[in-house]
């Protein structure tokens, strides 16, 4: 089974968006560099909706590219799915998406896309790992991701920390209120306007 990683871009005070789901300046570093993110057959990623491909700093490029190439399945909550309309069936990385939701896939929504709606976090990770094989399962941080983390189903935590303070909003670790220990970061990369960190979850 592939590694399950809880991940997101996050403010220094631990928020992945404001109360309305607006990410503000958190994703600016994705478009402010001079290195396009190119994978596979040389196609540039362009899932931003802006008509522009992701272009990051040279310091971030290898990390972002290798991470996205290694993802097999993305796991996301229903709030994020509704907010971005499931990236119109074209996830930014990976071949499959599992949506944690008590509601089914919208009728007629991109039938060609490998999107699976599962109403239990344990079953969602099992399905995601089945689809991903040996590749990474990337769990979006937030409320659904926090439930998966609290259930002990996450192997690593990956944070792209941006130097901005939100003060309030949607938390990386959702409503978790109990202590969980991580190991020291095994990856630290300083990009431009972002710090990439990876931690293994202490068992």
């Amino acid at each position: 089974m592939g590694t399950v990683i809880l991940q997101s871009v996050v403010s220094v005070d631990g928020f992945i968006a404001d109360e309305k789901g607006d990410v503000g300046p958190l994703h600016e570093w994705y478009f402010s560099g001079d290195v396009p993110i190119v994978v596979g057959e040389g196609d540039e990623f362009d899932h931003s909706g802006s008509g522009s491909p992701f272009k990051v700093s040279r310091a971030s490029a290898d990390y972002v590219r290798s991470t996205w190439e290694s993802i097999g399945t993305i796991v996301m909550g229903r709030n994020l799915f509704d907010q971005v309309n499931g990236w119109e069936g074209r996830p930014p990385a990976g071949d499959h998406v599992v949506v944690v939701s008590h509601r089914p896939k919208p009728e007629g929504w991109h039938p060609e896309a490998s999107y699976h709606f599962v109403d239990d976090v344990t079953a969602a990770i099992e399905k995601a790992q089945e689809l991903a094989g040996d590749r990474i399962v990337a769990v979006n941080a937030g409320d659904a991701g926090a439930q998966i983390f609290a259930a002990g189903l996450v192997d690593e935590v990956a944070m792209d920390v941006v130097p901005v303070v939100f003060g309030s909003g949607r938390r990386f670790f959702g409503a978790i209120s109990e202590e969980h220990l991580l190991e020291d970061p095994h990856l630290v990369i300083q990009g431009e306007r972002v710090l990439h960190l990876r931690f293994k979850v202490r068992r």
Side-chain angles (χ1 to χ4, degrees):
M1 293 293 183
T3 303
V4 178
I5 301 178
L6 179 67
Q7 57 84 38
S8 188
V9 182
V10 61
S11 69
V12 293
D13 55 344
F15 295 99
I16 57 174
D18 66 16
E19 299 287 359
K20 296 180 180 179
D22 188 344
V23 298
L26 287 180
H27 290 183
E28 289 179 359
W29 65 274
Y30 274 131
F31 308 100
S32 60
D34 56 4
V35 182
I37 302 301
V38 181
V39 298
E41 300 300 317
D43 294 331
E44 293 182 355
F45 277 106
D46 180 12
H47 298 274
S48 63
S50 67
S52 300
F54 290 108
K55 290 186 177 181
V56 301
S57 69
R58 191 160 302 278
S60 294
D62 288 344
Y63 171 69
V64 173
R65 184 184 300 112
S66 64
T67 298
W68 288 6
E69 286 178 336
S70 66
I71 292 172
T73 305
I74 290 176
V75 179
M76 66 193 306
R78 186 59 184 253
N79 283 341
L80 179 58
F81 174 86
D82 288 342
Q83 185 170 354
V84 301
N85 197 28
W87 302 297
E88 300 296 342
R90 298 178 63 230
D95 301 315
H96 314 280
V97 174
V98 174
V99 182
V100 181
S101 176
H102 294 296
R103 291 178 285 140
K105 181 190 296 187
E107 187 174 352
W109 185 88
H110 294 285
E112 79 288 352
S114 181
Y115 278 57
H116 308 264
F117 288 63
V118 181
D119 66 0
D120 173 80
V121 295
T122 300
I125 292 301
E126 289 175 353
K127 182 63 175 179
Q129 289 185 312
E130 173 192 329
L131 293 166
D134 293 333
R135 300 173 74 192
I136 286 174
V137 172
V139 179
N140 283 108
D143 288 337
Q147 293 174 43
I148 292 167
F149 179 78
L153 302 173
V154 170
D155 301 307
E156 295 187 22
V157 172
M159 305 175 108
D160 300 313
V161 183
V162 173
V164 60
V165 175
F166 271 27
S168 64
R170 298 183 181 179
R171 296 184 177 278
F172 185 101
F173 289 104
I176 285 179
S177 59
E178 58 186 10
E179 181 179 281
H180 295 267
L181 296 178
L182 307 178
E183 300 294 347
D184 290 337
H186 62 87
L187 180 144
V188 180
I189 298 173
Q190 183 174 335
E192 294 177 14
R193 301 297 296 171
V194 64
L195 178 66
H196 308 289
L197 300 172
R198 288 265 290 269
F199 308 83
K200 293 185 185 299
V201 177
R202 183 174 293 185
R203 301 298 188 188

